Amino acid sequence: MIEREPRAAPPGALRRAAPALLGYLAVRALGLLALMGWSGARGTSAYTLLTARWDALWYSRVAGNGYGYEVRLPNGDVHSDLAFFPLLPWLERGLAAVTPLSYADAGLVVALLSSLVAAWGIFAVADHVYGRRAGGCAVLVWALLPVGIVQSMAYSESLFTALAAWSLYAVLTGRWVSAGLLALLAGLTRPVGLALVAAIWAAALTSFLHEPSSSKDAPSPARAPSPSGTSFGVPRSAAISPSARPSSHALSRAPHSGASRTRRALGMLFAPLGAAGYVLWVGFHTGLGPLGYLDVQAGWRNGFDGGWAFAGFIAGKLTSFPAVFAGLALIVGVVLLLWLYVTCVRQRQPLALLVYAGVVTALALCASSYFGSKPRLLLPAFPLLFPLALALARLRTRPAALVVGAVAVASAAYGAFWLNGSGPP
């Protein structure tokens, strides 16, 4: 008999997150105002930049016409809409069917709502592990990213991040079936859903391996032993500074406490079904076999080469002036990412978060094409931001507000400049 899963959120969860969500909305509103001002000065349409450029066009076309559209380039490359996973177009079509909105309008609405749900999910994860102040700071840091404007575009990053954050929260709180079902949906949203599958499987297998042999011998959740000094995803307070200690409710709701083996197994079973189902369907639809989706991506010059092409791209920047400054900035960015991940490990983040962030980062950095997209592809890797959130949480309120305000202005200006320039390919 399958036990019922715990409730999705404790009472007052939204009220607890409200200040963080208001801060998120303020930062993103500033970004949109900056975009409208910059676009107006240049004679461009901010609405078009958000809904009808780059990938947003492909998603809305799938929503309206289904799959089957492709563009053949002079060099022989074939850009097929099968490269785009279906959940966002499905939502666009569904929303447009019950409202007067166009597919592009619906995509923007889905993105805006998803970004707010994602922010709430990020807060929930950080609050569960480190406490409310750190959770609020994590949301602000995610909103303040230089490419944060993508969170407000008709792209799939916000939708994926929302599903990923709540799936990881479900893992941390022992709701394995919910985690698997959310991962299934995330797998229908972006190829990087693989990272969520890996996180769920790693956490579940670890909990299986370290599960007490009998319930009478099982230690209490707050004292359960686990590898690497974690309590199945909850860092030991002695491992990090006092300001980064997990809250008491994080300790008391470790994911293995009371979770049946059946529910864990079901979560593991559900997690890969979305991505696997779409990939297999593409292979059947194209006649290219089970891995036909890789051929579709190859038509876009997308692949995984371990970062060799990206390294060559950076090296090429270093051979000319003024491109050398861009090359140095890329090196600094990669080093910063690696430092953040190492810091996450040293702070003993939950295993699920480490696996998820590691796979997202590896897939983004080691992809063989579209180098300008890498910052956007890293948006879902929110656990990497927790060290920065903890540092911000240690500041007093006034210095923290000054830092957030200054970075918000800079981020809004950069986002407006970026979208009116090269923008996200």
Side-chain angles (χ1 to χ4, degrees):
M1 183 176 184
I2 300 176
E3 303 171 25
R4 290 180 60 187
E5 295 241 307
R7 286 185 299 177
L14 181 56
R15 189 183 311 115
R16 182 177 178 86
L21 299 182
L22 290 174
Y24 176 80
L25 289 174
V27 172
R28 295 294 355 118
L30 178 63
L32 292 174
L33 288 173
L35 177 64
M36 289 188 289
W38 198 299
S39 300
R42 288 175 53 90
T44 58
S45 168
Y47 175 79
T48 299
L49 292 173
L50 295 173
T51 64
R53 296 284 302 276
W54 306 290
D55 291 5
L57 285 174
W58 288 88
Y59 283 121
S60 61
R61 186 180 288 116
V62 172
N65 304 318
Y67 286 104
Y69 180 80
E70 61 183 28
V71 175
R72 294 184 177 273
L73 303 183
N75 65 357
D77 290 344
V78 178
H79 288 185
S80 169
D81 58 9
L82 291 170
F84 297 89
F85 276 50
L87 186 57
L88 178 57
W90 287 347
L91 293 176
E92 290 178 347
R93 177 181 295 182
L95 186 56
V98 297
T99 68
L101 297 175
S102 67
Y103 297 122
D105 296 334
L108 183 60
V109 170
V110 170
L112 292 175
L113 294 177
S114 296
S115 68
L116 192 59
V117 175
W120 187 10
I122 292 170
F123 171 84
V125 172
D127 177 33
H128 179 82
V129 178
Y130 295 118
R132 186 180 188 185
R133 183 174 176 86
C137 290
V139 171
L140 289 175
V141 173
W142 191 63
L144 291 168
L145 290 174
V147 294
I149 189 65
V150 175
Q151 298 164 19
S152 304
M153 296 179 65
Y155 271 42
S156 61
E157 274 77 9
S158 290
L159 177 60
F160 177 83
T161 305
L163 294 166
W166 284 106
S167 178
L168 291 169
Y169 179 75
V171 170
L172 295 179
T173 53
R175 302 173 176 95
W176 295 98
V177 175
S178 297
L181 291 174
L182 288 168
L184 185 157
L185 294 174
L188 289 169
T189 306
R190 295 189 63 80
V192 76
L194 171 66
L196 205 50
V197 176
I200 291 173
W201 275 61
L205 289 175
T206 301
S207 66
F208 275 129
L209 292 173
H210 293 268
E211 187 177 58
S213 57
S214 64
S215 58
K216 68 179 182 179
D217 297 327
S220 63
R223 297 176 180 270
S226 63
S228 304
T230 66
S231 181
F232 288 105
V234 180
R236 262 195 224 143
S237 57
I240 50 181
S241 64
S243 59
R245 288 177 182 171
S247 58
S248 59
H249 74 278
L251 290 172
S252 65
R253 299 176 66 192
H256 67 291
S257 56
S260 71
R261 298 174 68 88
T262 301
R263 285 192 280 113
R264 265 175 280 170
L266 284 174
M268 294 175 68
L269 173 66
F270 291 147
L273 294 183
Y278 180 69
V279 168
L280 291 175
W281 178 82
V282 169
F284 174 79
H285 181 75
T286 59
L288 296 174
L291 299 180
Y293 181 77
L294 298 180
D295 294 318
V296 171
Q297 286 285 1
W300 288 80
R301 298 292 180 100
N302 282 334
F304 187 88
D305 65 355
W308 182 256
F310 186 41
F313 175 77
I314 294 175
K317 294 288 186 181
L318 300 176
T319 60
S320 61
F321 184 87
V324 63
F325 296 112
L328 292 174
L330 288 171
I331 292 174
V332 170
V334 172
V335 171
L336 176 61
L337 282 173
L338 297 177
W339 175 80
L340 285 172
Y341 190 76
V342 170
T343 303
C344 291
V345 174
R346 294 184 64 183
Q347 291 180 347
R348 300 189 178 185
Q349 270 192 18
L351 176 63
L353 300 187
L354 291 175
V355 172
Y356 169 76
V359 175
V360 172
T361 303
L363 291 176
L365 293 182
C366 297
S368 60
S369 188
Y370 292 94
F371 305 119
S373 295
K374 294 190 184 295
R376 171 173 65 87
L377 299 179
L378 286 164
L379 269 178
F382 65 88
L384 291 180
L385 304 176
F386 287 177
L388 300 178
L390 290 171
L392 182 61
R394 294 186 188 106
L395 297 178
R396 294 183 180 274
T397 301
R398 179 171 293 182
L402 291 175
V403 170
V404 170
V407 177
V409 170
S411 176
Y414 178 78
F417 166 78
W418 187 48
L419 280 197
N420 278 282
S422 60

